[in-house]
Amino acid sequence: MTTSEPIDIQAHYKKGAKQTSGTVGHLEASQEQVLKEVWSKLLAHFENTKNTPIKVEKSLVKNSGLAKAGISTSDTEAVEKWYADNKDEIKDIKNQLVCDKLYLDGNRDIMVPSTFKPLFGDSADTRTFSSAFWQATMRFHSPDAYVLKFVRASGWNVDKAFVRIRGSIERRITQEIDRLMWEGDTAQHNGVTQNGMCLHIGNDRLGSPVFIVTVRQNAPKLRSEANAEKLAAYALEKAAQLSRKYGEEALIVYDFSGFKIENVDLGFTKLIVTTLQELYPLTFTATLLFVNSWLFSGIWRAIRGWLDPAIAQRTVVVKDVESLETFVDRSQIPVEMGGQYKYEYTYVYPTKEGNAKMFDTEGRQAAEAEFATAVDAFVEQTKSWIDGSGPATHDAESRSQAAAAFDTAAANLDPFIRAQFFDERV
Protein backbone atom coordinates (compact mmCIF):
# COMPACT_ATOMS: atom_id res chain seq x y z
CA MET A 1 0.00 0.00 0.00
CA THR A 2 1.27 3.46 -0.90
CA THR A 3 1.76 5.66 2.13
CA SER A 4 2.44 9.36 2.55
CA GLU A 5 6.06 10.47 2.73
CA PRO A 6 7.54 13.33 4.80
CA ILE A 7 7.75 16.55 2.80
CA ASP A 8 10.61 19.03 3.11
CA ILE A 9 8.65 22.00 1.85
CA GLN A 10 11.61 24.39 2.09
CA ALA A 11 13.68 22.08 -0.11
CA HIS A 12 10.97 22.18 -2.81
CA TYR A 13 11.03 25.96 -2.80
CA LYS A 14 14.82 26.12 -2.89
CA LYS A 15 14.76 23.85 -5.95
CA GLY A 16 12.00 25.95 -7.49
CA ALA A 17 9.99 22.82 -8.24
CA LYS A 18 6.48 21.88 -7.21
CA GLN A 19 5.81 18.48 -5.73
CA THR A 20 4.35 16.34 -8.52
CA SER A 21 4.46 12.86 -7.01
CA GLY A 22 0.95 11.56 -6.45
CA THR A 23 -0.71 14.22 -8.60
CA VAL A 24 -2.62 13.99 -11.88
CA GLY A 25 -0.30 12.61 -14.56
CA HIS A 26 2.27 11.48 -11.99
CA LEU A 27 0.74 8.39 -10.41
CA GLU A 28 2.42 5.07 -9.71
CA ALA A 29 0.41 1.93 -10.44
CA SER A 30 -0.43 1.43 -6.77
CA GLN A 31 -1.52 5.08 -6.44
CA GLU A 32 -3.76 4.80 -9.48
CA GLN A 33 -5.38 1.74 -7.94
CA VAL A 34 -6.14 3.68 -4.76
CA LEU A 35 -7.67 6.45 -6.85
CA LYS A 36 -9.86 3.91 -8.64
CA GLU A 37 -11.10 2.50 -5.36
CA VAL A 38 -11.95 5.92 -3.98
CA TRP A 39 -13.84 6.80 -7.18
CA SER A 40 -15.69 3.50 -6.94
CA LYS A 41 -16.89 4.43 -3.46
CA LEU A 42 -17.84 7.94 -4.58
CA LEU A 43 -19.86 6.75 -7.57
CA ALA A 44 -21.71 4.26 -5.38
CA HIS A 45 -22.42 7.02 -2.86
CA PHE A 46 -23.78 9.28 -5.60
CA GLU A 47 -26.25 6.55 -6.53
CA ASN A 48 -27.17 5.66 -2.94
CA THR A 49 -27.88 9.27 -1.93
CA LYS A 50 -29.52 10.66 -5.06
CA ASN A 51 -32.98 10.52 -3.48
CA THR A 52 -31.92 11.66 -0.01
CA PRO A 53 -30.74 15.26 -0.23
CA ILE A 54 -28.93 16.85 2.69
CA LYS A 55 -30.52 19.77 4.53
CA VAL A 56 -28.93 23.20 4.76
CA GLU A 57 -28.92 23.48 8.54
CA LYS A 58 -26.13 25.92 9.42
CA SER A 59 -26.20 28.41 6.55
CA LEU A 60 -23.46 31.01 6.89
CA VAL A 61 -25.44 33.36 4.67
CA LYS A 62 -28.64 33.25 6.70
CA ASN A 63 -26.96 34.01 10.01
CA SER A 64 -27.24 37.79 9.73
CA GLY A 65 -28.93 40.75 8.03
CA LEU A 66 -31.73 40.57 5.49
CA ALA A 67 -31.07 36.90 4.79
CA LYS A 68 -31.60 35.99 8.43
CA ALA A 69 -34.91 37.87 8.34
CA GLY A 70 -35.90 35.97 5.19
CA ILE A 71 -36.28 39.15 3.12
CA SER A 72 -35.56 39.14 -0.61
CA THR A 73 -33.55 42.07 -1.93
CA SER A 74 -36.11 42.38 -4.74
CA ASP A 75 -38.86 43.22 -2.21
CA THR A 76 -38.12 46.94 -2.04
CA GLU A 77 -40.82 47.75 0.51
CA ALA A 78 -39.75 44.98 2.90
CA VAL A 79 -36.08 45.93 2.51
CA GLU A 80 -36.76 49.59 3.34
CA LYS A 81 -38.86 48.64 6.36
CA TRP A 82 -36.18 46.26 7.67
CA TYR A 83 -33.47 48.89 7.38
CA ALA A 84 -35.71 51.45 9.08
CA ASP A 85 -36.44 49.03 11.92
CA ASN A 86 -32.80 47.98 12.32
CA LYS A 87 -30.96 51.25 11.67
CA ASP A 88 -29.09 51.16 14.96
CA GLU A 89 -27.92 47.59 14.41
CA ILE A 90 -26.59 48.15 10.89
CA LYS A 91 -24.81 51.37 11.87
CA ASP A 92 -22.93 49.36 14.49
CA ILE A 93 -19.63 48.45 12.79
CA LYS A 94 -19.67 45.12 14.60
CA ASN A 95 -22.70 43.99 12.61
CA GLN A 96 -22.51 46.05 9.41
CA LEU A 97 -22.20 44.06 6.18
CA VAL A 98 -21.06 45.37 2.80
CA CYS A 99 -24.66 45.39 1.54
CA ASP A 100 -25.66 47.49 4.57
CA LYS A 101 -22.93 50.03 3.89
CA LEU A 102 -23.99 50.31 0.26
CA TYR A 103 -27.62 50.85 1.32
CA LEU A 104 -26.68 53.51 3.87
CA ASP A 105 -24.64 55.29 1.19
CA GLY A 106 -27.69 55.42 -1.07
CA ASN A 107 -26.67 52.64 -3.47
CA ARG A 108 -29.83 50.55 -3.87
CA ASP A 109 -28.66 48.42 -6.79
CA ILE A 110 -29.17 44.67 -6.41
CA MET A 111 -25.61 43.39 -6.79
CA VAL A 112 -26.54 39.72 -7.24
CA PRO A 113 -29.86 38.13 -8.24
CA SER A 114 -32.25 38.06 -5.29
CA THR A 115 -33.22 34.43 -5.94
CA PHE A 116 -30.40 31.98 -5.35
CA LYS A 117 -30.49 28.96 -7.66
CA PRO A 118 -28.38 25.92 -6.72
CA LEU A 119 -26.92 23.73 -9.45
CA PHE A 120 -28.75 20.84 -11.12
CA GLY A 121 -32.18 21.97 -9.94
CA ASP A 122 -31.55 21.35 -6.24
CA SER A 123 -33.90 23.15 -3.87
CA ALA A 124 -32.82 26.18 -1.88
CA ASP A 125 -33.06 24.22 1.38
CA THR A 126 -31.31 20.98 0.39
CA ARG A 127 -28.54 19.71 -1.87
CA THR A 128 -27.76 16.27 -3.18
CA PHE A 129 -24.31 14.97 -2.35
CA SER A 130 -23.38 14.56 -6.01
CA SER A 131 -24.39 18.13 -6.95
CA ALA A 132 -22.30 19.61 -4.16
CA PHE A 133 -19.39 17.33 -5.03
CA TRP A 134 -19.25 18.40 -8.67
CA GLN A 135 -19.50 22.06 -7.75
CA ALA A 136 -16.61 21.63 -5.29
CA THR A 137 -14.46 20.09 -8.04
CA MET A 138 -15.00 23.07 -10.37
CA ARG A 139 -11.93 24.85 -9.02
CA PHE A 140 -9.73 22.05 -10.38
CA HIS A 141 -8.81 21.32 -13.98
CA SER A 142 -9.66 17.65 -13.39
CA PRO A 143 -11.97 16.08 -10.80
CA ASP A 144 -9.11 13.66 -10.09
CA ALA A 145 -7.08 16.57 -8.71
CA TYR A 146 -9.76 17.28 -6.12
CA VAL A 147 -10.00 13.65 -5.03
CA LEU A 148 -6.22 13.26 -4.90
CA LYS A 149 -5.89 16.15 -2.43
CA PHE A 150 -7.87 14.11 0.09
CA VAL A 151 -6.19 10.84 -0.86
CA ARG A 152 -2.70 12.21 -0.33
CA ALA A 153 -3.70 13.92 2.93
CA SER A 154 -5.10 10.57 4.12
CA GLY A 155 -1.88 8.67 3.48
CA TRP A 156 -3.36 6.88 0.44
CA ASN A 157 -5.86 5.11 2.66
CA VAL A 158 -9.02 4.49 0.64
CA ASP A 159 -11.50 4.45 3.51
CA LYS A 160 -10.01 7.49 5.26
CA ALA A 161 -9.97 9.47 2.01
CA PHE A 162 -13.59 8.64 1.25
CA VAL A 163 -14.70 9.57 4.77
CA ARG A 164 -12.86 12.90 4.53
CA ILE A 165 -14.39 13.72 1.14
CA ARG A 166 -17.85 12.80 2.36
CA GLY A 167 -17.47 14.94 5.49
CA SER A 168 -16.14 17.86 3.46
CA ILE A 169 -19.05 17.82 1.01
CA GLU A 170 -21.62 17.45 3.76
CA ARG A 171 -20.12 20.46 5.55
CA ARG A 172 -20.20 22.48 2.33
CA ILE A 173 -23.89 21.68 2.04
CA THR A 174 -24.93 22.36 5.63
CA GLN A 175 -23.02 25.68 5.67
CA GLU A 176 -24.31 26.59 2.18
CA ILE A 177 -20.90 27.45 0.75
CA ASP A 178 -22.38 27.66 -2.76
CA ARG A 179 -24.74 30.44 -1.72
CA LEU A 180 -21.96 32.16 0.25
CA MET A 181 -20.00 32.51 -2.98
CA TRP A 182 -23.16 33.54 -4.85
CA GLU A 183 -23.63 36.48 -2.46
CA GLY A 184 -19.91 37.30 -2.55
CA ASP A 185 -18.59 40.41 -0.81
CA THR A 186 -22.08 41.80 -0.19
CA ALA A 187 -22.62 39.30 2.65
CA GLN A 188 -19.23 39.99 4.25
CA HIS A 189 -18.40 42.19 7.21
CA ASN A 190 -17.76 45.71 5.94
CA GLY A 191 -15.01 46.47 8.44
CA VAL A 192 -12.93 43.47 7.36
CA THR A 193 -13.23 44.38 3.69
CA GLN A 194 -12.12 47.91 4.51
CA ASN A 195 -8.97 46.99 6.44
CA GLY A 196 -7.71 44.42 3.93
CA MET A 197 -6.86 41.78 6.51
CA CYS A 198 -6.55 39.06 3.86
CA LEU A 199 -5.09 40.04 0.49
CA HIS A 200 -3.73 38.36 -2.62
CA ILE A 201 -0.35 40.01 -3.23
CA GLY A 202 1.92 38.63 -5.97
CA ASN A 203 3.14 35.07 -6.51
CA ASP A 204 5.65 32.83 -4.79
CA ARG A 205 8.76 31.20 -6.27
CA LEU A 206 6.66 28.31 -7.59
CA GLY A 207 4.24 30.62 -9.39
CA SER A 208 1.40 30.16 -6.89
CA PRO A 209 -0.57 33.15 -5.59
CA VAL A 210 0.44 34.53 -2.19
CA PHE A 211 -2.30 35.38 0.30
CA ILE A 212 -1.19 37.50 3.23
CA VAL A 213 -3.24 37.62 6.41
CA THR A 214 -2.26 40.65 8.48
CA VAL A 215 -2.98 39.49 12.02
CA ARG A 216 -2.70 42.98 13.54
CA GLN A 217 -5.77 43.91 11.48
CA ASN A 218 -7.79 41.24 13.26
CA ALA A 219 -10.21 42.95 15.64
CA PRO A 220 -12.44 40.34 17.35
CA LYS A 221 -14.28 42.98 19.35
CA LEU A 222 -15.34 44.78 16.18
CA ARG A 223 -17.21 41.93 14.52
CA SER A 224 -19.80 39.37 15.55
CA GLU A 225 -19.08 35.65 15.94
CA ALA A 226 -21.41 34.91 13.01
CA ASN A 227 -19.47 37.27 10.74
CA ALA A 228 -16.17 35.72 11.86
CA GLU A 229 -17.30 32.24 10.85
CA LYS A 230 -18.58 33.54 7.53
CA LEU A 231 -15.30 35.38 6.92
CA ALA A 232 -13.20 32.25 7.50
CA ALA A 233 -15.24 30.19 5.06
CA TYR A 234 -15.39 32.89 2.40
CA ALA A 235 -11.71 33.86 2.54
CA LEU A 236 -10.49 30.26 2.23
CA GLU A 237 -12.93 29.35 -0.54
CA LYS A 238 -12.00 32.51 -2.44
CA ALA A 239 -8.28 31.76 -2.12
CA ALA A 240 -8.87 28.20 -3.30
CA GLN A 241 -10.91 29.34 -6.31
CA LEU A 242 -8.42 32.04 -7.30
CA SER A 243 -5.62 29.44 -7.23
CA ARG A 244 -7.26 27.61 -10.15
CA LYS A 245 -5.37 29.62 -12.76
CA TYR A 246 -2.03 29.14 -10.95
CA GLY A 247 -1.82 25.36 -10.72
CA GLU A 248 -4.54 24.86 -8.08
CA GLU A 249 -2.26 25.71 -5.15
CA ALA A 250 -1.49 28.82 -3.13
CA LEU A 251 0.84 30.06 -0.41
CA ILE A 252 -0.64 31.61 2.71
CA VAL A 253 1.39 33.90 4.96
CA TYR A 254 0.21 35.00 8.39
CA ASP A 255 1.97 38.26 9.20
CA PHE A 256 2.24 38.49 12.99
CA SER A 257 4.41 41.61 12.97
CA GLY A 258 3.08 44.33 15.22
CA PHE A 259 0.18 42.30 16.54
CA LYS A 260 -1.06 42.79 20.11
CA ILE A 261 -2.97 40.80 22.65
CA GLU A 262 -6.27 42.37 21.47
CA ASN A 263 -5.67 40.81 18.03
CA VAL A 264 -5.54 37.30 19.49
CA ASP A 265 -8.61 35.19 18.75
CA LEU A 266 -7.87 31.52 19.32
CA GLY A 267 -11.44 30.51 18.50
CA PHE A 268 -11.21 32.16 15.08
CA THR A 269 -7.74 30.69 14.54
CA LYS A 270 -8.96 27.19 15.35
CA LEU A 271 -11.90 27.68 12.99
CA ILE A 272 -9.50 28.51 10.15
CA VAL A 273 -7.30 25.50 10.93
CA THR A 274 -10.20 23.05 11.04
CA THR A 275 -11.72 24.51 7.86
CA LEU A 276 -8.38 24.15 6.06
CA GLN A 277 -8.04 20.55 7.14
CA GLU A 278 -11.61 19.50 6.45
CA LEU A 279 -12.33 21.37 3.21
CA TYR A 280 -8.96 22.26 1.64
CA PRO A 281 -6.31 19.61 2.34
CA LEU A 282 -3.03 20.32 0.52
CA THR A 283 -4.55 23.32 -1.27
CA PHE A 284 -1.85 25.51 0.22
CA THR A 285 1.70 24.51 -0.68
CA ALA A 286 2.82 25.99 2.62
CA THR A 287 1.56 28.04 5.53
CA LEU A 288 4.13 30.58 6.69
CA LEU A 289 3.98 32.26 10.09
CA PHE A 290 5.95 35.53 9.86
CA VAL A 291 6.79 36.26 13.47
CA ASN A 292 8.68 38.97 15.36
CA SER A 293 6.69 39.06 18.59
CA TRP A 294 7.21 37.31 21.93
CA LEU A 295 3.41 36.90 22.18
CA PHE A 296 3.52 34.31 19.43
CA SER A 297 5.20 31.53 21.44
CA GLY A 298 2.16 30.91 23.60
CA ILE A 299 -0.20 31.05 20.64
CA TRP A 300 1.99 28.67 18.63
CA ARG A 301 1.81 26.03 21.36
CA ALA A 302 -1.98 26.01 20.98
CA ILE A 303 -2.02 26.13 17.16
CA ARG A 304 0.54 23.36 16.78
CA GLY A 305 -1.72 20.96 18.66
CA TRP A 306 -4.57 21.52 16.19
CA LEU A 307 -2.60 20.69 13.03
CA ASP A 308 -2.90 17.33 11.33
CA PRO A 309 0.39 15.84 10.00
CA ALA A 310 -0.24 16.89 6.39
CA ILE A 311 -0.54 20.57 7.36
CA ALA A 312 2.01 20.48 10.16
CA GLN A 313 4.85 19.49 7.83
CA ARG A 314 3.91 22.35 5.50
CA THR A 315 3.78 24.96 8.26
CA VAL A 316 6.95 27.01 8.70
CA VAL A 317 7.81 29.77 11.16
CA VAL A 318 9.87 32.52 9.50
CA LYS A 319 11.34 35.30 11.64
CA ASP A 320 12.83 37.67 9.06
CA VAL A 321 12.57 38.68 5.44
CA GLU A 322 15.66 36.64 4.54
CA SER A 323 13.89 33.45 5.66
CA LEU A 324 10.74 34.54 3.84
CA GLU A 325 12.76 34.90 0.63
CA THR A 326 13.12 31.12 0.47
CA PHE A 327 9.46 31.12 -0.56
CA VAL A 328 8.81 34.54 -2.09
CA ASP A 329 11.10 36.84 -4.05
CA ARG A 330 11.75 40.11 -2.21
CA SER A 331 10.13 42.02 -5.07
CA GLN A 332 6.85 40.27 -4.19
CA ILE A 333 7.10 40.85 -0.43
CA PRO A 334 5.33 43.99 0.92
CA VAL A 335 7.49 46.82 2.20
CA GLU A 336 5.86 46.48 5.63
CA MET A 337 7.39 43.00 5.90
CA GLY A 338 10.85 44.10 4.76
CA GLY A 339 10.30 43.55 1.04
CA GLN A 340 10.17 45.83 -1.97
CA TYR A 341 6.52 45.53 -3.04
CA LYS A 342 4.66 48.80 -2.51
CA TYR A 343 0.94 48.31 -2.28
CA GLU A 344 -1.75 50.70 -1.07
CA TYR A 345 -5.01 48.94 -0.37
CA THR A 346 -8.29 50.61 -1.17
CA TYR A 347 -11.40 48.51 -1.13
CA VAL A 348 -13.50 48.66 -4.30
CA TYR A 349 -17.15 47.86 -3.69
CA PRO A 350 -18.97 45.32 -5.90
CA THR A 351 -21.18 46.46 -8.76
CA LYS A 352 -24.10 44.93 -10.60
CA GLU A 353 -22.15 45.28 -13.85
CA GLY A 354 -19.34 43.14 -12.47
CA ASN A 355 -21.85 40.35 -11.83
CA ALA A 356 -23.72 40.78 -15.12
CA LYS A 357 -23.60 37.08 -16.06
CA MET A 358 -25.39 36.13 -12.84
CA PHE A 359 -28.46 37.96 -14.20
CA ASP A 360 -28.29 36.18 -17.58
CA THR A 361 -30.81 33.35 -17.13
CA GLU A 362 -30.45 31.90 -20.63
CA GLY A 363 -26.67 32.04 -20.46
CA ARG A 364 -26.73 30.26 -17.10
CA GLN A 365 -28.99 27.52 -18.46
CA ALA A 366 -26.71 26.91 -21.43
CA ALA A 367 -23.55 26.88 -19.30
CA GLU A 368 -25.11 24.57 -16.73
CA ALA A 369 -26.29 22.18 -19.47
CA GLU A 370 -22.74 22.10 -20.89
CA PHE A 371 -21.38 21.37 -17.43
CA ALA A 372 -23.92 18.61 -16.77
CA THR A 373 -22.99 16.95 -20.06
CA ALA A 374 -19.30 17.16 -19.17
CA VAL A 375 -19.94 15.62 -15.74
CA ASP A 376 -21.91 12.74 -17.27
CA ALA A 377 -19.15 12.07 -19.80
CA PHE A 378 -16.48 12.08 -17.10
CA VAL A 379 -18.51 9.69 -14.96
CA GLU A 380 -18.95 7.25 -17.85
CA GLN A 381 -15.25 7.34 -18.69
CA THR A 382 -14.40 6.84 -15.03
CA LYS A 383 -16.64 3.78 -14.82
CA SER A 384 -14.92 2.29 -17.87
CA TRP A 385 -11.50 3.09 -16.38
CA ILE A 386 -12.42 1.43 -13.07
CA ASP A 387 -13.85 -1.66 -14.76
CA GLY A 388 -10.90 -1.96 -17.11
CA SER A 389 -13.35 -2.78 -19.86
CA GLY A 390 -11.19 -1.23 -22.59
CA PRO A 391 -7.50 -0.92 -23.44
CA ALA A 392 -5.69 0.92 -20.64
CA THR A 393 -4.24 3.56 -22.97
CA HIS A 394 -7.62 4.17 -24.58
CA ASP A 395 -9.35 4.55 -21.20
CA ALA A 396 -6.66 6.97 -20.01
CA GLU A 397 -6.87 9.09 -23.15
CA SER A 398 -10.67 9.15 -23.11
CA ARG A 399 -10.68 10.16 -19.46
CA SER A 400 -8.16 12.92 -20.13
CA GLN A 401 -10.37 14.25 -22.92
CA ALA A 402 -13.40 14.09 -20.63
CA ALA A 403 -11.45 15.97 -17.93
CA ALA A 404 -10.49 18.66 -20.45
CA ALA A 405 -14.15 19.08 -21.44
CA PHE A 406 -15.05 19.28 -17.74
CA ASP A 407 -12.40 21.96 -17.23
CA THR A 408 -13.76 24.10 -20.07
CA ALA A 409 -17.37 23.70 -18.95
CA ALA A 410 -16.52 24.55 -15.34
CA ALA A 411 -14.71 27.73 -16.37
CA ASN A 412 -17.67 28.74 -18.57
CA LEU A 413 -20.20 28.15 -15.77
CA ASP A 414 -18.23 29.86 -12.99
CA PRO A 415 -19.22 33.53 -13.58
CA PHE A 416 -22.91 32.57 -13.71
CA ILE A 417 -22.98 31.06 -10.21
CA ARG A 418 -20.78 33.27 -8.05
CA ALA A 419 -20.16 36.96 -7.47
CA GLN A 420 -17.01 38.65 -8.69
CA PHE A 421 -14.14 38.78 -6.19
CA PHE A 422 -12.41 42.00 -5.14
CA ASP A 423 -9.25 40.61 -6.77
CA GLU A 424 -11.13 40.45 -10.09
CA ARG A 425 -12.46 44.00 -9.80
CA VAL A 426 -9.05 45.68 -9.52
Side-chain angles (χ1 to χ4, degrees):
M1 173 64 67
T2 301
T3 57
S4 57
E5 297 179 359
I7 300 297
D8 185 345
I9 196 63
Q10 294 190 66
H12 279 289
Y13 271 88
K14 287 177 180 178
K15 292 177 182 177
K18 288 189 176 185
Q19 181 195 2
T20 57
S21 176
T23 62
V24 175
H26 302 276
L27 297 179
E28 299 173 2
S30 59
Q31 294 172 333
E32 183 172 330
Q33 181 58 37
V34 170
L35 181 59
K36 285 183 177 182
E37 292 178 24
V38 175
W39 268 115
S40 183
K41 284 181 172 289
L42 285 169
L43 295 177
H45 196 62
F46 293 164
E47 185 65 24
N48 294 336
T49 59
K50 64 181 181 181
N51 295 320
T52 53
I54 300 169
K55 291 182 179 180
V56 175
E57 296 179 323
K58 300 177 181 179
S59 174
L60 297 177
V61 177
K62 297 177 183 177
N63 64 7
S64 58
L66 290 169
K68 185 176 182 179
I71 297 174
S72 169
T73 53
S74 63
D75 188 342
T76 305
E77 184 176 344
V79 168
E80 290 180 352
K81 183 178 187 306
W82 185 87
Y83 274 109
D85 292 343
N86 295 275
K87 58 183 178 182
D88 292 334
E89 178 184 346
I90 62 171
K91 287 181 179 179
D92 183 348
I93 60 174
K94 186 174 183 177
N95 302 309
Q96 190 179 89
L97 305 181
V98 168
C99 59
D100 300 330
K101 175 63 174 173
L102 288 168
Y103 187 91
L104 291 173
D105 287 348
N107 188 338
R108 307 299 162 84
D109 283 347
I110 298 175
M111 301 302 172
V112 299
S114 57
T115 302
F116 168 63
K117 297 180 181 179
L119 282 183
F120 302 123
D122 280 352
S123 75
D125 299 321
T126 64
R127 308 286 189 277
T128 60
F129 181 89
S130 60
S131 294
F133 173 88
W134 292 115
Q135 185 160 0
T137 63
M138 285 179 61
R139 65 183 178 86
F140 292 90
H141 296 295
S142 167
D144 278 350
Y146 176 76
V147 174
L148 283 169
K149 293 287 188 184
F150 289 90
V151 171
R152 290 166 55 203
S154 302
W156 297 89
N157 182 294
V158 172
D159 292 332
K160 288 182 179 179
F162 172 71
V163 169
R164 288 188 68 163
I165 294 172
R166 185 180 65 193
S168 175
I169 297 302
E170 289 174 353
R171 178 173 171 178
R172 294 180 70 89
I173 292 173
T174 58
Q175 292 189 330
E176 209 170 21
I177 299 298
D178 54 353
R179 184 174 175 184
L180 184 67
M181 307 319 289
W182 172 278
E183 301 288 347
D185 284 10
T186 60
Q188 291 302 305
H189 186 251
N190 187 60
V192 173
T193 64
Q194 289 294 316
N195 68 26
M197 186 174 76
C198 181
L199 295 176
H200 168 204
I201 299 180
N203 296 324
D204 66 13
R205 292 190 180 277
L206 302 183
S208 300
V210 177
F211 292 90
I212 297 180
V213 180
T214 307
V215 180
R216 65 179 177 275
Q217 296 282 14
N218 186 39
K221 294 182 179 180
L222 299 181
R223 64 163 187 266
S224 66
E225 184 178 340
N227 283 328
E229 187 175 13
K230 185 161 51 177
L231 167 64
Y234 183 69
L236 291 174
E237 179 70 12
K238 181 177 78 168
Q241 290 197 23
L242 287 171
S243 72
R244 186 180 193 274
K245 65 176 69 172
Y246 300 98
E248 302 163 350
E249 292 181 327
L251 175 72
I252 188 166
V253 181
Y254 290 91
D255 177 13
F256 283 88
S257 59
F259 91 110
K260 301 176 182 178
I261 193 67
E262 56 261 35
N263 303 126
V264 176
D265 187 349
L266 288 179
F268 182 59
T269 303
K270 188 173 184 179
L271 177 63
I272 291 176
V273 170
T274 56
T275 302
L276 273 172
Q277 294 177 165
E278 292 178 14
L279 269 61
Y280 309 101
L282 304 185
T283 294
F284 296 93
T285 51
T287 298
L288 306 185
L289 309 176
F290 186 72
V291 179
N292 65 359
S293 170
W294 62 269
L295 280 174
F296 178 77
S297 58
I299 297 172
W300 175 233
R301 282 195 293 272
I303 295 174
R304 188 164 47 190
W306 300 330
L307 304 179
D308 70 16
I311 289 183
Q313 65 183 345
R314 294 168 179 268
T315 301
V316 182
V317 176
V318 291
K319 296 186 177 181
D320 49 49
V321 70
E322 287 76 21
S323 300
L324 189 55
E325 279 190 287
T326 298
F327 303 89
V328 185
D329 187 84
R330 192 172 290 229
S331 66
Q332 300 286 291
I333 299 173
V335 171
E336 292 79 4
M337 299 173 70
Q340 301 169 345
Y341 188 73
K342 295 181 180 180
Y343 183 83
E344 292 186 11
Y345 174 75
T346 302
Y347 180 67
V348 177
Y349 281 92
T351 64
K352 183 174 183 178
E353 291 73 22
N355 298 323
K357 285 193 173 183
M358 295 182 72
F359 293 87
D360 181 357
T361 303
E362 292 184 1
R364 155 78 184 255
Q365 291 174 344
E368 188 169 342
E370 178 192 12
F371 183 64
T373 299
V375 166
D376 290 343
F378 186 83
V379 167
E380 290 307 310
Q381 292 300 330
T382 298
K383 289 178 179 178
S384 176
W385 170 66
I386 292 171
D387 296 339
S389 54
T393 54
H394 178 269
D395 286 343
E397 291 175 1
S398 298
R399 253 184 118 243
S400 293
Q401 292 172 1
F406 173 94
D407 183 27
T408 299
N412 290 341
L413 177 60
D414 182 52
F416 291 97
I417 62 172
R418 71 161 176 87
Q420 190 181 52
F421 298 136
F422 165 79
D423 312 70
E424 298 165 323
R425 294 197 293 274
V426 297

